[in-house]
Amino acid sequence: VEQKAVLFEGTIRDNMKLGNENASDEEIYEALRIAQALEVIENKENGLDSLVEQNGRNFSGGQRQRLCIARALVKKPQILILDDSSSALDLITDKNLRQEINKIENMSVVIISQRTSSIMNADKILVLDDGKLVGAGKHDELLENNKVYQEIYYSQHPDERKRNLNE
């Protein structure tokens, strides 16, 4: 799932079935639930049969991202790659999305993100600087030992820097 969420002209159901043409409505609704996109459907008069305009322009950026994540989940992939695909989501929705995705068994998740809150609980974080690998590890060890990660993290969580300085 890429950052620029692309929906296709048709219905929401048509877009979800691009992930799996044999998906039942139950499977689609489960993917929408995990992707935090149920409210998108519930707010549409025709539910899954609601129309999607070209490029999904009748949806907000966050709605498009959540629908594209749901479409990927309908596939029941063994590997899910989220390439900055929650950048338009608020922090709470992003957190809820990650919690639900983490509950899925037999699926590895690769998250590419500039938002440290999206990757803090990852098994392994790779830190890139100018296209070069400059660190690898868990959040706590990178926060302790990696200058690039520290700069990124504290720029996004300035209160944490103040708290750490006061301890």
Side-chain angles (χ1 to χ4, degrees), residues 90-152:
D90 63 80
L91 294 175
I92 292 170
T93 303
D94 184 32
K95 178 182 177 188
N96 293 338
L97 168 67
R98 285 181 283 106
Q99 286 175 341
E100 289 301 316
I101 285 176
N102 285 339
K103 293 177 186 176
I104 300 173
E105 295 179 7
N106 302 318
M107 182 176 73
S108 297
V109 182
V110 175
I111 300 173
I112 301 160
S113 182
Q114 298 175 37
R115 194 187 276 179
T116 56
S117 60
S118 295
I119 56 156
M120 287 172 54
N121 296 314
D123 295 333
K124 188 171 191 174
I125 300 168
L126 302 177
V127 182
L128 301 176
D129 186 23
D130 200 24
K132 294 186 177 97
L133 181 66
V134 296
K138 290 195 161 286
H139 168 76
D140 290 338
E141 60 192 78
L142 290 168
L143 196 55
E144 190 172 313
N145 302 315
N146 188 282
K147 295 284 186 213
V148 174
Y149 190 79
Q150 291 168 355
E151 287 176 25
I152 296 167

Side-chain angles (χ1 to χ4, degrees), residues 18-73:
L18 288 172
N20 174 359
E21 64 184 29
N22 298 315
S24 66
D25 282 0
E26 184 178 291
E27 291 170 313
I28 292 171
Y29 276 107
E30 178 62 7
L32 290 165
R33 183 192 67 75
I34 293 168
Q36 309 300 298
L38 274 181
E39 63 95 34
V40 175
I41 306 307
E42 292 167 350
N43 290 334
K44 296 286 185 185
E45 187 176 326
N46 295 319
L48 290 176
D49 294 316
S50 297
L51 292 178
V52 176
E53 294 177 11
Q54 185 176 9
N55 295 322
R57 67 176 171 244
N58 56 325
F59 293 92
S60 72
Q63 290 173 329
R64 285 193 305 270
Q65 283 186 333
R66 288 179 284 157
L67 289 170
C68 287
I69 291 167
R71 181 174 58 210
L73 291 170

